[in-house]
């Protein structure tokens, strides 16, 4: 894996892939087969191949037709070169019916992911009235997994009615114990209203601290700079950037 990111914000991308019906075996296999080609991509500072769950947030039920690739890049040109011409992306296009790529500028990131902070060591204010993206990921202690999965689905379900939510997906590196939620919000005010006022979400945050569910965790916010393609048939940021 690439070395730890420097303190300056890294240009980040998240790509979601919708796998064609009947191609689920390829989708599952690429979680392993794509690692070596990605390790050799010039300018790719950090990456994670991600499976997904059913529903908007953390989920025990896998979705074998939706996968993700989160990456940080040395420069915008390195990302552009990859998305425009790398043969791995052509292979993905042959097996997927849709792709959605977000280009993101990190605003802040707290915690670690695989022992490093791949996004930024700085804190930047969110642009007023602009969409905002949030990543919450955690490595769940095996001894705490049952308690975690008893309590967290309530907070994930509450996303269904969150005002200002443009889109959300549960992602993960490994079933049960390495989980993440990525969400897009209309603006920072909407995101904060859910995070701080929604009772189920507040209770999960409280239990996270008091019961020590995680051996590692990361919370990061981003400004979406651009979007391309579709996610479940639409672009959630259409007309907002």
């Amino acid at each position: 894996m690439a070395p730890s990111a420097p303190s300056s914000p890294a240009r980040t991308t998240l790509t979601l892939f919708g796998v064609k019906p009947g191609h689920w075996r390829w989708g599952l296999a690429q979680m392993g087969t794509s690692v070596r080609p990605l390790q050799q991509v010039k300018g790719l500072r950090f990456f994670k191949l991600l499976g997904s769950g059913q529903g908007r947030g953390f989920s025990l039920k896998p979705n074998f037709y939706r996968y993700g690739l989160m990456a940080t890049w040395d420069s915008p040109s390195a990302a552009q070169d990859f998305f425009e011409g790398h043969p791995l992306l052509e292979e993905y296009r042959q097996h997927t019916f849709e792709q959605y790529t977000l280009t993101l500028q990190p605003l802040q990131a707290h915690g670690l992911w695989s022992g490093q902070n791949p996004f930024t060591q700085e804190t930047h204010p969110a642009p007023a009235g602009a969409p905002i993206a949030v990543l919450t990921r955690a490595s769940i202690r095996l001894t705490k997994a049952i308690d975690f999965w008893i309590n967290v689905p309530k907070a994930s379900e509450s996303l269904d009615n969150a005002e200002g939510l443009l889109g959300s997906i549960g992602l993960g590196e490994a079933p049960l114990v390495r989980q993440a939620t990525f969400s897009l919000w209309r603006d920072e005010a909407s995101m904060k209203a859910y995070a701080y006022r929604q009772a189920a979400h507040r209770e999960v945050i409280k239990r996270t601290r008091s019961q020590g569910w995680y051996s590692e965790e990361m919370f990061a916010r981003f400004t979406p700079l651009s979007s391309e393609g579709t996610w479940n048939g639409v672009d959630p940021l259409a007309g907002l950037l």
Side-chain angles (χ1 to χ4, degrees):
M1 188 60 65
S4 297
S7 60
S8 60
R11 185 61 56 88
T12 299
T13 57
L14 173 66
T15 303
L16 300 176
F17 302 95
V19 176
K20 292 179 179 178
H23 291 236
W24 69 269
R25 290 183 179 85
W26 171 86
L28 192 59
Q30 60 80 31
M31 291 286 287
T33 59
S34 296
V35 172
R36 183 177 289 266
L38 287 168
Q39 288 174 334
Q40 298 171 350
V41 173
K42 184 178 179 180
L44 180 54
R45 183 184 297 182
F46 174 95
F47 71 88
K48 288 293 181 181
L49 290 159
L50 303 164
S52 73
Q54 299 180 20
R56 291 184 178 272
F58 293 121
S59 174
L60 280 169
K61 299 178 181 180
N63 182 348
F64 293 113
Y65 291 93
R66 178 73 66 186
Y67 292 88
L69 170 63
M70 194 155 206
T72 58
W73 303 88
D74 287 339
S75 66
S77 61
Q80 183 177 358
D81 288 346
F82 173 75
F83 285 106
E84 290 185 354
H86 198 281
L88 183 64
L89 267 295
E90 181 55 37
E91 179 185 349
Y92 273 64
R93 292 185 184 101
Q94 293 174 9
H95 291 277
T96 58
F97 65 89
E98 70 173 356
Q99 298 182 24
Y100 186 64
T101 296
L102 286 167
T103 301
L104 306 163
Q105 186 67 28
L107 296 173
Q108 64 182 78
H110 302 296
L112 299 174
W113 195 344
S114 295
Q116 63 177 292
N117 180 340
F119 303 122
T120 184
Q121 303 289 345
E122 303 171 354
T123 298
H124 303 272
I132 191 170
V134 178
L135 173 74
T136 303
R137 63 83 47 189
S139 295
I140 305 160
R141 299 180 192 274
L142 285 175
T143 56
K144 304 292 184 178
I146 293 176
D147 191 40
F148 174 88
W149 286 111
I150 287 173
N151 288 279
V152 163
K154 298 175 184 177
S156 296
E157 290 170 5
S158 69
L159 278 168
D160 292 338
N161 299 314
E163 185 176 353
L165 181 70
L166 303 175
S168 179
I169 186 170
L171 298 167
E173 303 159 73
L176 301 180
V177 294
R178 291 191 206 164
Q179 296 288 314
T181 295
F182 180 85
S183 55
L184 282 172
W185 299 84
R186 184 178 58 219
D187 50 34
E188 185 179 35
S190 299
M191 180 272 294
K192 287 185 174 181
Y194 170 77
Y196 301 129
R197 299 175 193 169
Q198 214 288 328
H201 186 266
R202 290 200 315 271
E203 180 63 21
V204 164
I205 298 301
K206 180 180 177 181
R207 286 178 174 269
T208 296
R209 302 292 174 246
S210 64
Q211 300 186 24
W213 283 342
Y214 306 147
S215 61
E216 184 184 65
E217 61 181 311
M218 167 153 279
F219 175 79
R221 296 178 182 175
F222 309 84
T223 291
L225 301 178
S226 66
S227 61
E228 182 176 352
T230 62
W231 175 3
N232 293 327
V234 301
D235 179 356
L237 292 174
L240 297 177
L241 299 180

